[in-house]
Amino acid sequence: MTAATAPSMPVRPLPRLSGQPLLGPLVSFRNDRVGLLLRLAKTHPDIVETSMGIVRRMVLISSPSLANEVLSTRQGSFVKAPGLAIFLRPVLGDGLLTSEHAVHERQRRLLAPAFAHKRIASYATTMAERTERFAAALSEGESLDVAEAMMRLTFEIVGKTLFDTEVVGDADAVGGALTTAMEVAMGQLGSVLPLPPMIPSPQNLRYKRAVARLDDVVYRIIRERRAEGADRGDVLSMLLHARDEEGASMTDRQVRDEAMTLALAGHETTANALAWTFYLLARHPEVRARMESEIDALGHAPTYDDLKKLPYTLAVFKEAMRLYPPAYILGRRPIEDTSIGEYRVRRNSIVLVSVMGIHRRPDVWSDPERFDPERFLGEREKQLPRCAYMPFGAGPRICIGNHFALMEGHVVLATIARRVRFDLASAAPVELDPLVTLRPKGGMHMRARVREHAGGARA
Ligand code: HEM
């Protein structure tokens, strides 16, 4: 027990979900993961223990204050859950998202300057330029999968801003490989008998091939940069030129793990958040009209300095991430017998913080299912209880890219909405596909409507 964080001895056993003794709610977890999370948040609004497949003790938290304990105040008693650590390891290796303790601390310190406020501001121009190019190429009535388009755009942005590299030609290989990796990883997590990646099942072999394709792209970029030798002042240069206390540089494998982590964590989530934002805007024309008039009032394409004049646009993006948080659950494993609130939690349980459940709690959010960006205007966000809104997590493992992502969402949304409007191709609601992140099932099929307006977006 970490003395600094040990509370007085917890007294209460965890409430347990009864029924389905053998498999627990595994069937629901496989078929309707989000529905299960939302149902449990209603029946057990704070914490509940259940078992699932071979995981005997799974603890689900839907309370902001208990989430704050796990992620922040008592985080020393927890590491990341093995699901992510084992099943995503072939892709992410020992990069920032999956590493622990000293390795994590060192790498987080090393990468921090790339995410400092001033540096991020300098990325805004690239974000705006790339988005403008995408939006300007859309024609009236064009059908497109907005989820896929956002994936390409955010990948292009992360490639250019963090790695000073053009990755457009690699987007297909990366997109396909990433989807395969997440499907296999999530399929294994929801399986009765998960097969770790080293077992050569057909699924795992497909996974291995997908990772090999990703590796080809990343190692090629590393090779080119090592050969060039110059310090371009981007993240890749930081990684290639970093030296530890003994003066040793990072191996190709270490550079690959960090680069892969940033490339993947840095585009997938933002793309999903944007796809859901366009979905919600299409279903709420009054919100869309208000956002467009804020953007039109600028009279020109938005730049970094204009962002402060677009508070409603940012509120739209934040509210979309409340209803559809890309990282909808966060997993941890206690490394010792410990407590959460007044409940005893056993070492090696799987603790899942339900971001989705917390974001729709009726005691925190009035009329929680309603899409209402006003919730994020003025001082209202500051008045929320700690961890009531946490699309980026909390505590020392909070998303390193959170300011990057918020700015990117803000810029992309404003730049696109000035030129085009996306309408849904079908009236049927889009289903959720909760892989590691919350994706729209089968994509987000929409039709582009080019806007003509006084702001003069179009000639
Ligand atoms: C809307 C977009 C994004 C969302 C919703 C998001 C969400 C998150 C969340 C919830 C975590 C914490 C995971 C945990 O505690 O288990 C995280 C970590 C991380 N994110 Fe993001 N993220 C986004 C964008 C980005 C971007 C743009 C980057 C990089 C350019 C990035 C890089 C990372 C990294 C490296 C970590 C691991 C940090 C650590 O453990 O120290 N993310 N992200």
Side-chain angles (χ1 to χ4, degrees), residues 22-68:
L22 185 60
L23 296 180
L26 189 68
V27 177
S28 301
F29 186 79
R30 285 182 70 96
N31 300 339
D32 179 23
R33 196 166 303 143
V34 170
L36 176 70
L37 290 177
L38 294 177
R39 277 196 303 281
L40 288 179
K42 285 205 177 95
T43 53
H44 299 81
D46 291 332
I47 191 164
V48 62
E49 187 182 54
T50 182
S51 43
M52 204 180 70
I54 58 162
V55 180
R56 289 209 349 264
R57 280 189 288 268
M58 196 179 90
V59 179
L60 185 75
I61 294 180
S62 308
S63 136
S65 67
L66 298 184
N68 187 44

Side-chain angles (χ1 to χ4, degrees), residues 99-352:
S99 59
E100 298 286 352
H101 310 302
V103 174
H104 173 261
E105 273 167 43
R106 190 192 63 215
Q107 295 301 95
R108 180 112 189 178
R109 256 199 317 275
L110 173 77
L111 288 167
F115 295 94
H117 184 79
K118 227 172 112 188
R119 180 68 85 88
I120 289 182
S122 74
Y123 301 148
T125 312
T126 304
M127 292 172 178
E129 276 170 11
R130 302 292 163 135
T131 311
E132 183 70 14
R133 195 186 303 171
F134 160 75
L138 290 167
S139 50
E140 172 59 25
E142 184 175 335
S143 297
L144 74 163
D145 176 351
V146 168
E148 195 199 319
M150 290 301 106
M151 215 60 101
R152 283 169 181 272
L153 177 62
T154 55
F155 185 54
E156 184 184 338
I157 289 174
V158 98
K160 187 64 195 166
T161 53
L162 298 187
F163 303 108
D164 196 13
T165 303
E166 296 300 338
V167 289
V168 181
D170 300 315
D172 284 339
V174 171
L178 177 59
T179 306
T180 305
M182 295 217 302
E183 278 170 2
V184 176
M186 231 38 212
Q188 291 296 333
L189 275 179
S191 136
V192 183
L193 193 64
L195 296 175
M198 53 286 231
I199 300 197
S201 64
Q203 283 271 57
N204 281 342
L205 290 174
R206 197 158 71 91
Y207 190 10
K208 215 171 149 189
R209 283 195 297 274
V211 173
R213 280 204 299 281
L214 287 173
D215 276 346
D216 280 349
V217 176
V218 176
Y219 279 125
R220 189 197 71 222
I221 295 171
I222 293 174
R223 259 195 325 272
E224 286 168 5
R225 279 301 195 81
R226 280 216 198 274
E228 180 188 297
D231 184 347
R232 295 203 203 168
D234 63 349
V235 169
L236 196 50
S237 298
M238 276 165 72
L239 295 170
L240 291 171
H241 292 98
R243 296 287 176 270
D244 65 15
E245 300 80 53
E246 276 95 49
S249 56
M250 287 166 75
T251 61
D252 274 5
R253 174 74 207 189
Q254 286 170 314
V255 174
R256 172 253 182 236
D257 288 354
E258 291 304 350
M260 192 77 95
T261 298
L262 287 174
L264 299 194
H267 86 282
E268 223 272 335
T269 38
T270 319
N272 286 324
L274 283 162
W276 288 115
T277 308
F278 285 115
Y279 172 71
L280 287 163
L281 286 170
R283 293 175 68 104
H284 296 83
E286 71 296 347
V287 172
R288 185 164 70 182
R290 180 166 168 192
M291 187 184 89
E292 286 171 356
S293 64
E294 181 181 80
I295 296 163
D296 292 351
L298 280 179
H300 56 259
T303 63
Y304 176 76
D305 290 328
D306 296 317
L307 294 179
K308 54 183 174 304
K309 294 179 213 148
L310 303 174
Y312 191 72
T313 308
L314 181 60
V316 165
F317 186 59
K318 287 184 173 176
E319 171 70 345
M321 285 198 290
R322 181 184 70 79
L323 284 171
Y324 296 99
Y328 63 104
I329 36 176
L330 304 176
R332 294 293 188 272
R333 174 174 67 84
I335 50 174
E336 56 199 358
D337 286 348
T338 184
S339 65
I340 302 176
E342 54 189 347
Y343 300 102
R344 183 179 312 131
V345 176
R346 303 282 288 277
R347 178 170 169 262
N348 288 342
S349 309
I350 302 295
V351 176
L352 296 180

